[in-house]
Amino acid sequence: RLFLQHVALMTSTDESKEREDASEGTSRVSLMTLHAAKGLEFNVIFVVGFEDGLVPLIRGDGSLPVDLDEEKRLAYVGCTRARHQLILTHVDWRSSWTGSPARATQASRYLD
């Protein structure tokens, strides 16, 4: 949790720096949301948590988002940012930040 308290969301200035680094071939690790990845490309992309409930995002009340097509487009954005290698990960069991018991998960429906 301490790490997450020190992580700030990317700004447009950070995104400009990402574009410069990508064009210069600078090696570094960038952590960002799928929304922030629009328009950027990287040699290797890890999309972590590619499972139902996260991609597409399922609301706290268990309902799907109103615009499932927009969720699919967002997943597509994440998957098409990779120039050379795309790595999608998901887990079989996920625990929550609230301390609730771990729950079984399934890979994202977009993998079918």
Side-chain angles (χ1 to χ4, degrees), residues 7-40:
V7 175
L9 293 177
M10 290 184 65
T11 65
S12 58
T13 304
D14 297 323
E15 290 176 15
S16 296
K17 180 69 174 144
E18 292 292 333
R19 285 186 175 93
E20 290 172 22
D21 289 347
S23 65
E24 295 172 6
T26 304
S27 294
R28 66 189 248 183
V29 174
S30 299
L31 177 67
M32 65 184 70
T33 65
L34 291 172
H35 289 92
K38 289 181 181 176
L40 301 175

Side-chain angles (χ1 to χ4, degrees), residues 68-108:
L68 205 52
D69 286 337
E70 179 59 27
E71 289 286 311
K72 187 181 285 188
R73 280 190 288 278
L74 192 56
Y76 178 81
V77 164
C79 292
T80 57
R81 301 302 90 200
R83 287 188 192 117
H84 303 293
Q85 188 175 13
L86 171 65
I87 300 164
L88 303 173
T89 69
H90 65 88
V91 297
D92 293 326
W93 292 89
R94 180 170 296 282
S95 58
S96 72
W97 291 90
T98 62
S100 301
R103 62 177 175 78
T105 64
Q106 293 181 336
S108 175

Side-chain angles (χ1 to χ4, degrees), residues 50-53 55 90-92 105-112:
F50 209 80
E51 58 208 48
D52 270 354
V55 181
H90 65 88
V91 297
D92 293 326
T105 64
Q106 293 181 336
S108 175
R109 64 190 69 201
Y110 299 144
L111 293 176
D112 293 333

